[in-house]
Amino acid sequence: MTNVAETVVDIIKDAGVERVYGLPGDSLNGFTDAIRTSAGVTWEQVRHEESAAFAAAAEAALTGELTVCAGSCGPGNLHLINGLFDANRSRVPVLAIAAQIPAAEIGSNYFQETHPQDLFRECSVYTELVSVPEQLPRVLEIAMRTAVEKRGVAVVVIPGEVFLAESAGRKKSAPIRASQSIVRPGDRELGQAAEILNAAKKVTILGGAGTEGSHRQVLEIAEKLKAPVVHALRGKDFLEYDNPYDVGMTGLLGFTSGYRAMEACDALLMLGTDFPYQQFYPSKAKIVQVDLRGEQLGRRTPIDLGLVGDVGDTVDALLPLLDDRTNRKHLDSSLKHYAKARKDLDELADNDRNRRPIHPQYLARLVSELASEDAVFIPDVGSPVVWASRYLTMNGARRLIGSFSHGTMANAVPHAIGAQSAFPERQVIALSGDGGLGMLFGELLTVRQNKLPVKIVVFNNSSLNFVEVEMKAAGFVNFGTQLDNPNFADVANAMGIHGQRVEQPDDLEGALRTAFAHDGPALVDVVTAQQELSIPPAISAEQVRGFTLYAIRTIMSGRGDELVDLADTNVFRRLFD
C-alpha cells in the first residue's frame, strides 16, 4: 500500500525538490518517515521552524525553483509564519506542509489546535485544508502550481492521520515546473510609451528585482535613451555590474546620486520595481512603469502609462520604436555626481589608522574584496543591509539576498542555511547584526550539526543600531536598544564552530581571510562603531528637527557623552585625517 505521505514525497520529488526544511513532530511523523525511506529527497533539520521557512525562501531565491518546508500541528507550523511572510513578499515559490491535529477533533479546542488555513491566508497565494485522503494529490498539485506560477507561498494543511491513509491512486500530473512565456504589452501601449520617452529630454531608469535576467536589455535601452540607471536594493545584483550607466541606489539606504538622477529627469522609466518610498519619486516627471504584475502599476506613485510585461520582452519590443539620442548631458551629469558620491562613501570605508572602534563601512568593504567571485551575501535587516547595499560589489555571478521587502530581523543565518544547503560548494556569507544573530541564536547549532560551511560576520555594535538611528531622526533619546552581548567568538568555539573576535582594524583582514579559508563554519565577531550614522540621500526638515531634539533631550537626560561619541565617529575623525 502506498500512503498519502509517500505520494506527497513522490510528487515534490518529480517537481525537482531535493530537500525539505523543518522540525519533526508527532503529527508530521508520517511525512518525515516517507522522506526517510525515499531516495532523492532529504530532511534538513533546523532548531526553529521559522528558520525552516527562511531557509526554503533563500534556496528558492537562488534557484528560482519550488522549495519546501514543514511544521507539525499547532505551535510547530505557527512558527513558520514569519519566514513565510518573508518568502511571499520576496516573490519566491515555497510550499509549506502544515500538519494538523486529528480531523475529528477540529473545532473542539483540542490540544495544540489552530486553524492554519486561516492563519496563513495573508502570507500565501494559496492555502487549503485536506479533510479526506481523496483530496490528494489534486490539492497538492494545485498548491504547487499556484506557488510556481504566482511566485509565492502555498500552504497545504494535512491532519496527521491523513498522511498514513492509503493514497487515492489518482493519476499524477506532469512534473510541476514554472512555465516559460513571452509577455509583453500590445503594440498600441508600446507606441504610447515610445511617444513619452522620445518627447522627454532627460530620461532616468529605475530598475528593481524584475530586471533579473534582463541585464542586456536594460543596458541597450539606457544607451538608446542616454539614460542613467538607478537601482532599488533588490535590483542591485542584477543591474550594478558591468553597467556604464549605473548611478547607484536611491531610497533610505541609497546615494545622493541616485536620488538626484531621478529628481532631475523629466521622464522616469520604471522597470520591474515596486520601490515603496513615495518621497523619493520625482516630483514633476512623467512616469512609465513596466511590471509583470498589472496590479502593481501605479501603486507607489501616480503614473502616466502602465505596461504589463516581462522587462526583457517589453524592452526588446520597445527598442525599435525609440529615437537614437546623441545628447548625453543628463547622463554625463548623473555619472559625474555618482563618481563624487561613490568617492565620498569609499573614503569612509578605511582603517582609520587602526583606531577603535572599527567602522562598519571598512568591514563591509573588506568582506567584498576578500569574498569569492560567486559568493552569496545575506545581510540581516538593520545596519548590515545599509553597509551591504553601499559597499558590496556585484559582478553578475555574486548574489545578494535578504528580507528586503518584509524587513524582518534575524534572517541572515537562517537564509544562509538554505543557500548553503542548496549550494554546498559555494561561499555563503551571512552579515549578521548582533541583535539579529541573538534572536535566532540556536541556528548556529544547525550550521554545526548539518556541517554547513557558512561564514558568519557579526557587526557587533552592542545595540539595535538602525533603531537608534531612527530614534535620533525622530528626536527620541535612545532607549531600550542596548545589547549586553557575550563574546560571540567564544560561544562559537564552544559550539565547535571556528570563532575569532576582532577589536582592532589592523587585525580585521587577517581574521576574515582565515575564516573564509576555513574548511567548515566560521564566525568573526567584529566590534564596530555604535554611533555610525547611515544618512539617507534626502533629509527632510522633520529629520533635521528630530536630530536637534535628540541632541537637546540627550544632554538634558545626562547622556551628553553619546553626542561626543557621535561626533567622534562621524565628524572629528574625518576633520583630522
Side-chain angles (χ1 to χ4, degrees):
M1 180 192 84
T2 300
N3 65 28
V4 167
E6 291 165 338
T7 299
V8 170
V9 172
D10 284 344
I11 291 172
I12 64 173
K13 182 169 65 174
D14 287 347
V17 173
E18 298 180 5
R19 57 194 66 80
V20 177
Y21 301 93
L23 201 63
D26 60 347
S27 55
L28 205 57
N29 284 343
F31 181 58
T32 52
D33 193 62
I35 293 174
R36 179 186 65 83
T37 58
S38 73
V41 178
T42 62
W43 177 254
E44 302 296 333
Q45 184 174 322
V46 296
R47 297 304 175 106
H48 194 291
E49 289 90 351
E50 180 180 355
S51 300
F54 277 129
E59 179 179 341
L62 293 173
T63 65
E65 302 289 340
L66 182 73
T67 58
V68 181
C69 60
S72 57
C73 67
N77 63 58
L78 182 58
H79 284 159
L80 295 170
I81 195 164
N82 192 44
L84 294 183
F85 259 105
D86 175 70
N88 202 52
R89 298 194 69 190
S90 296
R91 300 286 190 185
V92 294
V94 172
L95 170 69
I97 303 293
Q100 178 59 300
I101 64 171
E105 298 290 351
I106 295 175
S108 70
N109 198 26
Y110 192 71
F111 177 65
Q112 292 190 324
E113 181 175 359
T114 61
H115 297 87
Q117 69 273 21
D118 298 324
L119 286 168
F120 293 118
R121 202 170 303 282
E122 191 176 343
C123 64
S124 64
V125 294
Y126 181 89
T127 176
E128 191 54 75
L129 167 67
V130 173
S131 301
V132 294
E134 288 75 18
Q135 287 178 266
L136 291 169
R138 187 161 62 133
V139 164
L140 177 67
E141 291 174 340
I142 293 170
M144 294 167 62
R145 179 69 69 190
T146 305
V148 298
E149 294 298 343
K150 289 192 173 182
R151 293 189 63 82
V153 170
V155 182
V156 178
V157 184
I158 307 177
E161 75 276 11
V162 173
F163 280 122
L164 301 174
E166 184 175 359
S167 181
R170 180 179 182 270
K171 180 183 176 182
K172 294 188 298 184
S173 294
I176 296 172
R177 300 288 181 94
S179 60
Q180 302 297 318
S181 304
I182 296 174
V183 184
R184 71 167 183 84
D187 292 343
R188 183 175 67 85
E189 287 82 3
L190 289 170
Q192 291 173 332
E195 185 177 336
I196 291 172
L197 296 173
N198 286 333
K201 295 181 179 179
K202 297 183 291 185
V203 179
T204 294
I205 295 170
L206 172 63
T211 62
E212 182 177 4
S214 302
H215 185 267
R216 172 187 61 80
Q217 289 93 335
V218 175
L219 264 60
E220 286 183 6
I221 197 168
E223 168 58 26
K224 192 99 170 183
L225 296 170
K226 300 298 185 288
V229 176
V230 180
H231 60 262
L233 176 56
R234 293 187 64 205
K236 177 180 170 72
D237 52 348
F238 307 130
L239 292 179
E240 184 181 73
Y241 70 96
D242 295 340
N243 184 352
Y245 311 95
D246 178 47
V247 294
M249 196 170 68
T250 189
L252 294 175
L253 313 181
F255 308 168
T256 55
S257 54
Y259 174 78
R260 180 182 179 275
M262 286 177 58
E263 185 59 32
C265 73
D266 59 2
L268 178 68
L269 177 60
M270 297 173 60
L271 298 177
T273 180
D274 192 34
F275 178 69
Y277 303 110
Q278 298 180 49
Q279 65 269 35
F280 289 94
Y281 283 96
S283 53
K284 299 176 183 178
K286 288 193 172 184
I287 298 178
V288 177
Q289 183 177 2
V290 179
D291 204 289
L292 195 57
R293 296 176 178 83
E295 70 272 16
Q296 296 192 168
L297 297 175
R299 179 156 69 174
R300 304 303 181 186
T301 188
I303 60 175
D304 295 273
L305 180 64
L307 304 176
V308 176
D310 171 80
V311 169
D313 296 337
T314 301
V315 172
D316 279 338
L318 182 59
L319 279 169
L321 307 178
L322 297 176
D323 298 336
D324 288 312
R325 294 179 182 232
T326 57
N327 188 336
R328 292 178 52 97
K329 186 176 179 181
H330 174 54
L331 173 60
D332 289 339
S333 173
S334 298
L335 290 171
K336 182 178 179 181
H337 193 94
Y338 172 60
K340 182 182 184 304
R342 183 72 262 174
K343 179 175 180 292
D344 291 343
L345 284 172
D346 290 341
E347 287 175 352
L348 300 177
D350 66 355
N351 174 288
D352 200 20
R353 300 202 299 271
N354 197 36
R355 289 185 291 189
R356 299 166 59 181
I358 296 169
H359 291 294
Q361 300 97 318
Y362 179 56
L363 171 56
R365 193 201 89 196
L366 281 182
V367 167
S368 182
E369 291 176 356
L370 300 175
S372 65
E373 288 299 298
D374 66 343
V376 178
F377 302 104
I378 308 170
D380 261 333
V381 165
S383 57
V385 170
V386 178
W387 313 128
S389 67
R390 294 180 180 179
Y391 293 99
L392 296 183
T393 301
M394 299 293 107
N395 60 9
R398 289 176 166 182
R399 291 299 309 274
L400 175 66
I401 63 174
S403 185
F404 301 143
S405 294
H406 186 47
T408 179
M409 287 178 61
N411 66 284
V413 171
H415 272 156
I417 289 169
Q420 196 75 83
S421 297
F423 297 95
E425 303 302 320
R426 195 168 179 179
Q427 187 180 68
V428 176
I429 302 174
L431 303 173
S432 292
D434 45 359
L437 180 67
M439 189 175 284
L440 284 172
F441 203 49
E443 296 312 322
L444 290 180
L445 298 172
T446 300
V447 169
R448 181 189 61 80
Q449 180 171 323
N450 294 4
K451 297 180 174 58
L452 299 172
V454 173
K455 313 308 177 189
I456 302 165
V457 178
V458 184
F459 287 72
N460 186 352
N461 49 43
S462 298
S463 68
L464 299 175
N465 183 251
F466 199 78
V467 177
E468 289 191 339
V469 172
E470 291 171 326
M471 285 181 170
K472 290 179 176 72
F476 292 103
V477 175
N478 292 154
F479 179 76
T481 56
Q482 288 295 305
L483 300 176
D484 185 6
N485 293 323
N487 183 316
F488 289 120
D490 286 347
V491 177
N493 283 315
M495 289 181 175
I497 295 172
H498 167 81
Q500 185 173 348
R501 185 176 174 91
V502 182
E503 299 181 2
Q504 293 292 147
D506 279 353
D507 300 330
L508 183 55
E509 182 174 342
L512 291 174
R513 287 187 182 277
T514 299
F516 290 175
H518 180 70
D519 185 17
L523 182 149
V524 183
D525 181 13
V526 184
V527 179
T528 56
Q530 180 177 348
Q531 299 293 352
E532 201 78 47
L533 289 176
S534 51
I535 304 296
I539 302 176
S540 67
E542 287 78 11
Q543 288 172 320
V544 173
R545 285 195 294 270
F547 273 103
T548 303
L549 279 173
Y550 157 75
I552 294 170
R553 289 170 177 170
T554 298
I555 291 172
M556 291 180 68
S557 67
R559 291 163 59 183
D561 56 322
E562 277 192 20
L563 293 180
V564 176
D565 289 343
L566 189 70
D568 183 52
T569 301
N570 296 278
V571 181
F572 297 153
R573 289 185 174 183
R574 277 60 173 176
L575 291 177
F576 298 113
D577 277 350

